[in-house]
Amino acid sequence: PDNALAQPVGTTLERYIMRKQSEFAYATGELSQLLRDIALAGKIINREVNRAGLSELKGAFGTENVQGEQQQKLDVVANIRFIRALKNGGQACAILSEEEDEIIQTGNNQGRYVVAMDPLDGSANIDVNVPIGTIFSIYRRITPVGTPATKDDFLQGGRKQIAAGYVLYGSSTMLVYTTGHGVVGFTYEHSLGEFFLSHPDLLIPQNGKIFSCNEGHWFDYPEYVRTYLMECKRKGYTGRYVGSLVADYHRSLLMGGIYLYPPTKKKPQGKLRLLYECYPLAFLIEQAGGAAVADANGTPILDIVATDCHQRSALVIGSTNMVKEIAASATATAKLS
Ligand code: P6P
């Protein structure tokens, strides 16, 4: 980010977006509007999340999503709210959602952007009051303006993202995003209904002492993961696993650390979704000076070729030096075997 123009903590999201837009002569205001629409959806979902226990929105909705997972009511509500906000905003011509098998055409065929999203990740955590999050990824469409979007608009590859971010519904609600010029964080003030700039230039520490993975899958993990985790324990590192990707990710971004969801026997491709979980979080972490790879030989997540909208990927993401350590551990383990 251009620190000369760094904006004061406490400025509103609206003012921040307008000033950022004025920095880019070519900016037409369409991406600005799209970011506003996402922030609005985040505010609406925040309200639903905060009162889930009171408005019988907890518990399953009785339908299943494309993952075959029981849809929690809030999943469905979040999906509907995001789609509505993006439809009304007019900038997104299509949406790819974890909750929908097919791409959703918004009818805004003049829109120049498409949005891939996980409207509410970690929904199994909703009923036990654990932080949950929305993850989004934005591409400029490659199909002709005026026509409906196609899968090709979503399968351009991680390095074609023009913006990405998340909303974390935690002890406070935060919007964190990048447009390719660094990572910025806003904290929501409920009483005013506004996001205020709280983290103007987020950079992940290059080293960390926190590892985050589900050790219940221990015997399912590849050998190099166990070797690395044993090394972490030998060094006295701390284990922290919320079981909600956005919460584990956000802690790693702020404090340093590594989050791992390696391939397992049950999910040899990994569990997390490439287009609306791994790609956006990888874009953010590289913008924040961190690293995100898919496997032992360190293939950057952003270089993985996307061939299916709902394809899965393994994910190792966080402090650069920790990601390097696990790659070294994989090489060492390979030599031993
Ligand atoms: P496991 C939640 O279902 C999720 O998609 C992520 O939010 C979370 O990090 C991961 O899966 C948890 O998976 O196998 O540890 O229960």
Side-chain angles (χ1 to χ4, degrees), residues 285-307:
I285 211 81
E286 289 198 1
Q287 284 288 314
V293 299
D295 52 27
N297 55 40
T299 312
I301 290 285
L302 292 178
D303 294 336
I304 293 176
V305 176
T307 52

Side-chain angles (χ1 to χ4, degrees), residues 92-304:
C93 62
I95 300 164
L96 167 67
S97 168
E98 175 171 51
E99 302 300 337
E100 307 273 348
D101 300 19
E102 300 304 320
I103 293 172
I104 301 145
Q105 300 292 346
T106 60
N108 306 319
N109 288 345
Q110 297 303 325
R112 289 155 31 131
Y113 298 100
V114 296
V115 179
M117 68 173 183
D118 186 349
L120 208 50
D121 172 75
S123 53
N125 293 305
I126 292 172
D127 286 353
V128 293
N129 221 5
V130 160
I132 45 185
T134 297
I135 308 171
F136 63 89
S137 166
I138 301 173
Y139 296 87
R140 200 167 280 110
R141 69 182 302 180
I142 52 175
T143 48
V145 172
T147 66
T150 70
K151 279 192 168 56
D152 295 344
D153 291 306
F154 293 94
L155 297 175
Q156 300 179 52
R159 297 206 184 275
K160 295 285 194 208
Q161 293 175 95
I162 59 146
Y166 56 84
V167 183
L168 173 59
Y169 312 97
S171 44
S172 70
T173 294
M174 279 194 72
L175 166 65
V176 176
Y177 73 83
T178 182
T179 57
H181 307 280
V183 178
V184 65
F186 296 82
T187 300
Y188 188 54
E189 172 46 65
H190 300 251
S191 63
L192 300 174
E194 283 279 4
F195 279 106
F196 288 89
L197 180 65
S198 51
H199 300 70
D201 179 14
L202 274 166
L203 292 169
I204 185 169
Q206 291 302 292
N207 295 296
K209 294 188 174 3
I210 302 172
F211 60 90
S212 185
C213 74
N214 182 341
E215 296 195 55
H217 302 317
W218 181 266
F219 293 104
D220 252 8
Y221 284 153
E223 184 57 36
Y224 77 88
V225 171
R226 289 198 290 266
T227 305
Y228 175 72
L229 291 174
M230 291 298 283
E231 197 49 37
C232 288
K233 295 174 180 182
R234 224 172 276 120
K235 291 176 181 169
Y237 287 3
T238 294
R240 283 282 184 280
Y241 193 67
V242 178
S244 189
L245 175 58
V246 178
D248 283 317
Y249 177 90
H250 187 71
R251 182 201 55 249
S252 307
L253 174 61
L254 267 61
M255 298 179 68
I258 190 168
Y259 171 90
L260 310 97
Y261 209 106
T264 61
K265 292 186 187 101
K266 292 189 206 74
K267 294 192 169 26
Q269 300 307 315
K271 171 180 185 182
L272 302 175
R273 302 293 172 172
L274 182 63
L275 266 72
Y276 40 78
E277 289 176 326
C278 300
Y279 271 171
L281 295 181
F283 183 21
L284 277 166
I285 211 81
E286 289 198 1
Q287 284 288 314
V293 299
D295 52 27
N297 55 40
T299 312
I301 290 285
L302 292 178
D303 294 336
I304 293 176

